[in-house]
Amino acid sequence: MDIEAIKINIGTEIQDLASLEALEELRVKYLGRKGVLAELTGSIPGLPVEARAAFGQSVNALKNKITLLIEEKKKLLAAPAAGGSAERVDIGMPGIVHEPGRLHPLTQVTREICAIFTRMGFSIIEGPEIETEFNNFTGLNIPLEHPSREAFDTFYLKADHRAPTTDHLLLRSHTSPVQIRVMKEKKPPLAVVVPGRVYRPDAVDASHSFMFHQIEGFIVDKNIRFSDLKGILEFFAKQVFGQDILMRFRPHFFPFTEPSAEVDISCVICKAKGCSACGRKGWIEILGSGMIHPNVFKHVGYDPKKYSGFAFGMGVERIAMLKYGINDIRLFYENDLRFLKQF
Ligand SMILES: [Zn+2]
């Protein structure tokens, strides 16, 4: 057995091993009681006296080298990622649960309402929250002296908003300015719903917030009638609140529609008999609506003799509160998981 040959080959022999069992076999083969090294040691007495010491030292050096290589290989094979740096996956370990998120109830209701109208052929269009006085008021036939244009009813971006014939910027107080934007840009036929945030300087309480959400809808075409408005809103109300609800139109005034009506549905709790939720009236208001005023058409360059249309607007919070029986609007904005997890 040639010591030099063993020295050269032992490195690659160990490197090629893939398991601790194979390494143990190799250890026994070289370092075992009847192994290669023992055999070499056993051959010493047969050597010439002057050669024995040097040969003995070479055998010892080889033994140390093999021992060292085996120890290193053992560590490598026992390491968590055998043979490399890749992470080992322990499939027996308990997992980390990531709870699925969900949409905010106002987002859910907004999407539900928009989906009902898109199924009827409406498009969804959004507009900016900062608007001009023209789009928010003048274009919608709301005269300069109208109380809603006062600073205590609208957030103006500059304080001198009351100077006459101005067109200052403001935070839109309703989604209706998008009507003006769309009609200025497109020609009829139009069928559009407009979801979005609106702002009013209201003190925050259980039913008011300085910011809330509206959905506006309007149709413009030839021969659009009040009966079209009624049919579409009845379909909408029954989709949201159930087929057995009743609906009624109550005459009202809005500057941008003529005639105008507020729309009530029968109380979902008492079925129109009267309870504390509906103030003993049996009816609950859900939205405002009407036929688009001819002056609005004139402002956007439509001929009111040629076209007619209707518009409606509703508060998303109000619809959500009625739908889920929520009694305080502030719950929507507090990010309390105990509330949000119910939807
Ligand atoms: Zn009731």
Side-chain angles (χ1 to χ4, degrees):
M1 193 73 65
D2 183 355
I3 290 181
E4 286 310 309
I6 295 172
K7 255 189 191 169
I8 291 163
N9 292 328
I10 189 75
T12 31
E13 204 177 336
I14 288 183
Q15 203 177 353
D16 291 344
L17 295 177
S19 67
L20 288 166
E21 291 77 15
L23 186 66
E24 176 59 15
E25 274 174 34
L26 178 126
R27 191 192 66 79
V28 172
K29 175 181 163 194
Y30 284 97
L31 305 177
R33 264 194 300 147
K34 294 176 182 173
V36 175
L37 273 287
E39 205 178 304
L40 288 169
T41 311
S43 70
I44 290 173
L47 293 172
V49 178
E50 63 277 14
R52 287 180 192 168
F55 186 82
Q57 277 174 12
S58 298
V59 173
N60 259 338
L62 181 62
K63 189 181 172 185
N64 291 339
K65 183 184 164 90
I66 294 174
T67 307
L68 194 69
L69 286 173
I70 288 176
E71 282 309 308
E72 280 175 0
K73 183 71 180 179
K74 196 183 258 178
K75 278 182 203 159
L76 211 58
L77 287 173
S85 59
E87 230 176 89
R88 199 165 69 167
V89 176
D90 181 354
I91 58 168
M93 270 178 56
I96 301 161
V97 179
H98 293 285
E99 279 191 68
R102 63 191 87 191
L103 296 171
H104 190 280
L106 290 177
T107 307
Q108 291 184 32
V109 171
T110 299
R111 289 191 181 182
E112 183 187 339
I113 293 170
C114 286
I116 292 167
F117 286 105
T118 52
R119 283 202 294 276
M120 289 191 275
F122 285 72
S123 313
I124 299 172
I125 296 181
E126 289 177 291
E129 289 167 28
I130 292 176
E131 264 297 359
T132 61
E133 248 187 300
F134 180 86
N135 287 347
N136 198 78
F137 293 125
T138 315
L140 289 162
N141 198 36
I142 302 172
L144 204 58
E145 67 277 7
H146 195 276
S148 68
R149 295 181 75 146
E150 295 287 347
F152 54 78
D153 266 331
T154 299
F155 285 115
Y156 287 90
L157 300 196
K158 278 184 180 168
D160 64 338
H161 69 281
R162 294 303 293 167
T165 71
T166 53
D167 198 19
H168 285 123
L169 294 176
L170 47 80
L171 292 180
R172 66 180 180 189
S173 56
H174 48 180
T175 43
S176 307
V178 183
Q179 281 186 39
I180 303 297
R181 287 178 173 273
V182 172
M183 287 194 269
K184 272 201 255 183
E185 212 173 275
K186 298 175 197 284
K187 292 289 159 215
L190 294 172
V192 175
V193 276
V194 182
R197 287 188 201 92
V198 301
Y199 300 84
R200 290 177 196 180
D202 283 333
V204 176
D205 63 25
S207 51
H208 295 85
S209 169
F210 58 88
M211 184 280 302
F212 58 100
H213 299 75
Q214 279 191 337
I215 293 179
E216 181 91 6
F218 60 97
I219 278 186
V220 183
D221 202 352
K222 289 168 184 160
N223 300 316
I224 298 293
R225 296 167 197 164
F226 200 93
S227 53
D228 297 317
L229 168 66
K230 213 179 153 190
I232 278 180
L233 289 183
E234 187 170 352
F235 178 81
F236 159 75
K238 287 187 170 176
Q239 290 283 305
V240 175
F241 295 104
Q243 292 299 317
D244 55 343
I245 56 134
L246 302 169
M247 197 180 76
R248 72 176 185 187
F249 282 72
R250 225 172 348 94
H252 197 73
F253 172 79
F254 299 113
F256 31 90
T257 46
E258 179 60 35
S260 305
E262 283 194 323
V263 175
D264 298 339
I265 57 165
S266 52
C267 176
V268 284
I269 295 163
C270 65
K271 311 283 177 210
K273 287 186 189 77
C275 68
S276 59
C278 57
R280 312 272 161 216
K281 286 180 284 192
W283 295 90
I284 289 170
E285 181 214 326
I286 57 163
L287 53 82
S289 67
M291 302 305 287
I292 296 173
H293 198 289
N295 287 349
V296 175
F297 284 147
K298 283 176 196 160
H299 278 300
V300 296
Y302 287 4
D303 180 358
K305 289 196 177 71
K306 192 172 164 194
Y307 294 113
S308 56
F310 62 75
F312 54 87
M314 68 190 90
V316 178
E317 280 83 348
R318 181 167 181 79
I319 302 288
M321 288 166 86
L322 289 172
K323 190 174 162 66
Y324 296 119
I326 297 162
N327 56 13
D328 194 325
I329 196 171
R330 291 169 290 197
L331 289 165
F332 289 118
Y333 315 123
E334 287 168 350
N335 283 337
D336 187 332
L337 286 178
R338 291 171 299 177
F339 172 74
L340 296 174
K341 273 184 169 174
Q342 298 175 63
F343 304 96

